[in-house]
Amino acid sequence: MPAASELLAAARKAREHAYAPYSNFAVGAALATKAGDVVTGANVENASYPVGMCAERTALFSAVARGHRDFDAIAIVGPEGVALTPCGACRQALSEFGDMRVVREGCDDVALRDLLPDAFGPRHLARTGI
Ligand code: THU
């Protein structure tokens, strides 16, 4: 598992590719898989504002599309000086794949399940037979 500092460095590198001309709020994310891979993402905005996507979900969807489903940790960096924490939609999207460590700048690591307690997930659908 990469050290928190390595994962943050990967997220900082990914942030260089953020496309954020509307908010000017560049975000980078780096997702560490249990197999030892690191998949990164950046936020990608759109002139049709709601169509834009957060860095965390860009990294997650990219990782899943490459066959990864088991994750150890995600590191997230926003603009310098901003203590960033993932938005609710990203917490939900990440929690689909179970718990993981969330690494942020300037604060202690936290478990995703503590950022999104009692999350709705696949187990709820299973109970309905879906
Ligand atoms: N954003 C992220 O990429 N991740 C977060 O955790 C919070 C917000 C993006 C969305 C949008 O492009 C910009 O930051 C401002 O909200």
Side-chain angles (χ1 to χ4, degrees), residues 49-70:
Y49 295 175
V51 174
M53 183 50 63
C54 291
E56 296 91 322
R57 274 177 286 163
T58 304
L60 176 68
F61 296 161
S62 178
V64 173
R66 290 176 204 188
H68 303 293
R69 293 186 182 179
D70 298 313

Side-chain angles (χ1 to χ4, degrees), residues 1-2 7 29-34 37-39 55-57 59-61 63-64 68-76 85-87 89-104 108-117 119:
M1 190 187 340
L7 215 49
L31 197 51
T33 72
K34 287 197 170 148
D37 301 274
V38 173
V39 181
E56 296 91 322
R57 274 177 286 163
L60 176 68
F61 296 161
V64 173
H68 303 293
R69 293 186 182 179
D70 298 313
F71 304 108
D72 261 331
I74 185 164
I76 307 154
T85 194
C87 80
C90 288
R91 293 175 196 203
Q92 177 67 30
L94 291 164
S95 80
E96 177 77 13
F97 297 93
D99 197 28
M100 66 188 78
R101 192 164 48 105
V102 179
V103 177
R104 299 163 296 175
D108 290 340
D109 296 358
V110 65
L112 178 63
R113 67 165 174 260
D114 291 330
L115 291 180
L116 188 67

Side-chain angles (χ1 to χ4, degrees), residues 4 6-20 23-32 38-45 53-60 73-80 82-87 90 94 102-105:
E6 276 177 65
L7 215 49
L8 282 168
R12 266 186 225 105
K13 185 91 189 139
R15 185 181 57 191
E16 292 172 16
H17 300 296
Y19 177 74
S23 69
N24 197 30
F25 192 92
V27 182
L31 197 51
V38 173
V39 181
T40 61
N43 55 333
V44 181
E45 297 184 347
M53 183 50 63
C54 291
E56 296 91 322
R57 274 177 286 163
T58 304
L60 176 68
I74 185 164
I76 307 154
V77 294
E80 287 309 318
V82 175
L84 192 61
T85 194
C87 80
C90 288
L94 291 164
V102 179
V103 177
R104 299 163 296 175
E105 283 181 312

